[in-house]
Amino acid sequence: MSLPSDLSSFDESSVLGGLSQTEDAPARRPARVNVFDACNVGVVLRAVLFVEAVVGVGAMFSAGQFTEWLLRFSLLTGGVLPATLAWLIAACVLKAYLARLRKAFQWVAGIGLGALAGLYGCGLLVMMGLLDPAPWWASAAAGALLSSVLVAGLVWRAKARTPAATAARLAELQSRIRPHFLFNTLNSAIALVRAEPAKAEMVLEDLAELFRHALADATESVTLGQEIELAQRYMAIEQIRFGERLQVSWSLDPEANPAKLPPLLLQPLVENAVRHGVEPSAAGAQVKISTTRRGSLVVLKVTNSTPAGVGERGHGLALANVRERLALLHDVQAQFKTVFKDGVFQVRMEIPL
């Protein structure tokens, strides 16, 4: 039985994740996230739309007709849009420096940049002869006010990436290896110690590497290449356990390896594929992991056949976990979709390079 290369009928799965958190795991210090991470496409898009919406509403107060409003809105956009982009570019370029400031000074710096951006936009309109007299103070105040809202949005986004309730949130997002997986692996190694000691040693080395990653302090991102290497170690362990029942196929593009992922993102997906594809079937199942670079995007697919059916429905925690963590790292630049069609389940992710 071969796995289809493309699946077009989408059906959101509620498969229960193979990795679960430990309730007594010690709280870890969250990775510090830069508040002024304005280099993200989603941040730029939302900031521009917000400022343009405010300008559009403001233009309504001095326009009696739609054509008059449209003309005034277009004229104001000529100064507001470059000023907004200038603020975003400055925040992006200076983000490393701004991150070293205290929170209060970050707010002051962000609002100060907004006032300068407002003066810049006003200057552009004056140079084009569209403002006479020039409202310099009003432009600086408007820029400061709008930038304070943008800074508040960036602060909220940063808190979403490293939440205040660190113990509970990191326990939810940081995956943990299931206890019964540990027991199964140790039992497999014990069975191999006398007959095939070299293979038993390899199993224990792979297990140690898995636990080293699972129990390490949380970081913002790792490379896809590192995640693939970890997944290969996991599949090597499961290959010992299931033998010919587990048919693994790897189709990897080396150019996709630099793509950034949250740590331990691929692990629950491949474990889901084994748990819901191979475990329920006496004949086993096929699991395929593929990566492909397409321009500035990387497509990652984890596909498994389900000869015994989808099995017991779970709560969808693993898939929801993966989707949320991917969105927190890449925002709108990343895509996460699941497909179930003709007895084949597939997870498909698009990740920016």
Side-chain angles (χ1 to χ4, degrees):
M1 180 173 126
S2 60
L3 300 178
S5 59
D6 185 32
L7 302 172
S8 58
S9 176
F10 289 84
D11 179 24
E12 190 68 23
S13 170
S14 61
V15 176
L16 176 63
L19 298 181
S20 60
Q21 65 266 18
T22 55
E23 296 179 357
D24 56 347
R28 303 183 185 276
R29 179 176 297 177
R32 186 174 182 179
V33 178
N34 198 323
V35 170
F36 288 90
D37 188 13
C39 308
N40 187 282
V41 174
V43 172
V44 173
L45 179 62
R46 294 185 183 97
V48 170
L49 290 177
F50 166 72
V51 174
E52 286 293 287
V54 172
V55 171
V57 172
M60 293 179 181
F61 287 95
S62 58
Q65 298 179 354
F66 175 76
T67 54
E68 185 180 355
W69 170 82
L70 185 61
L71 177 60
R72 189 166 185 80
F73 176 67
S74 301
L75 293 177
L76 291 175
T77 297
V80 170
L81 183 58
T84 303
L85 294 177
W87 188 93
L88 292 168
I89 292 172
C92 178
V93 172
L94 299 174
K95 67 177 184 178
Y97 170 76
L98 294 173
R100 294 194 291 267
L101 300 177
R102 295 182 180 179
K103 289 184 179 180
F105 292 113
Q106 287 184 347
W107 278 88
V108 171
I111 295 174
L113 286 175
L116 293 175
L119 293 174
Y120 169 67
C122 181
L124 290 178
L125 294 177
V126 170
M127 290 176 59
M128 292 185 288
L130 300 176
L131 285 180
D132 189 22
W136 296 108
W137 286 108
S139 298
L145 180 61
L146 290 174
S147 65
S148 66
V149 178
L150 293 179
V151 172
L154 290 173
V155 169
W156 175 85
R157 182 174 181 270
K159 286 183 177 179
R161 299 178 72 179
T162 49
T166 53
R169 185 62 168 167
L170 287 178
E172 176 187 353
L173 297 183
Q174 182 73 28
S175 300
R176 303 286 182 228
I177 295 180
R178 290 181 297 159
H180 83 258
F181 168 71
L182 169 63
F183 300 146
N184 289 336
T185 303
L186 292 177
N187 287 333
S188 298
I190 291 172
L192 291 170
V193 165
R194 293 184 178 180
E196 299 179 80
K199 187 175 290 187
E201 182 179 354
M202 291 176 58
V203 169
L204 293 176
E205 287 178 354
D206 289 336
L207 181 64
E209 188 67 17
L210 282 172
F211 269 86
R212 186 178 71 84
H213 284 270
L215 301 178
D217 287 335
T219 57
E220 184 177 352
S221 64
V222 296
T223 65
L224 176 58
Q226 291 173 308
E227 286 290 286
I228 291 292
E229 181 181 356
L230 194 64
Q232 287 175 330
R233 287 182 177 273
Y234 168 77
M235 296 302 273
I237 292 175
E238 293 291 54
Q239 191 76 67
I240 298 295
R241 177 185 172 195
F242 292 105
E244 295 182 356
R245 290 173 58 195
L246 174 57
Q247 304 167 40
V248 187
S249 173
W250 300 88
S251 178
L252 306 176
D253 184 354
E255 294 186 358
N257 288 342
K260 296 294 186 179
L261 289 175
L264 287 175
L265 193 82
L266 182 57
Q267 174 70 19
L269 299 180
V270 295
E271 189 166 349
N272 260 5
V274 172
R275 183 180 183 186
H276 296 276
V278 181
E279 282 188 9
S281 174
Q286 292 180 314
V287 178
K288 180 178 180 181
I289 299 96
S290 67
T291 61
T292 308
R293 177 175 179 176
R294 296 179 180 174
S296 61
L297 288 176
V298 168
V299 178
L300 169 62
K301 296 179 183 178
V302 179
T303 310
N304 67 275
S305 58
T306 57
V310 295
E312 182 181 354
R313 295 178 65 87
H315 301 289
L317 298 180
L319 297 181
N321 185 315
V322 170
R323 182 186 292 105
E324 181 181 5
R325 298 176 70 204
L326 190 64
L328 288 176
L329 180 63
H330 291 300
D331 205 349
V332 297
Q333 293 175 281
Q335 299 292 327
F336 180 95
K337 296 178 181 178
T338 60
V339 183
F340 183 71
K341 183 180 180 182
D342 299 331
V344 177
F345 181 77
Q346 182 183 93
V347 175
R348 184 180 190 275
M349 290 184 286
E350 293 184 3
I351 310 157
L353 272 174

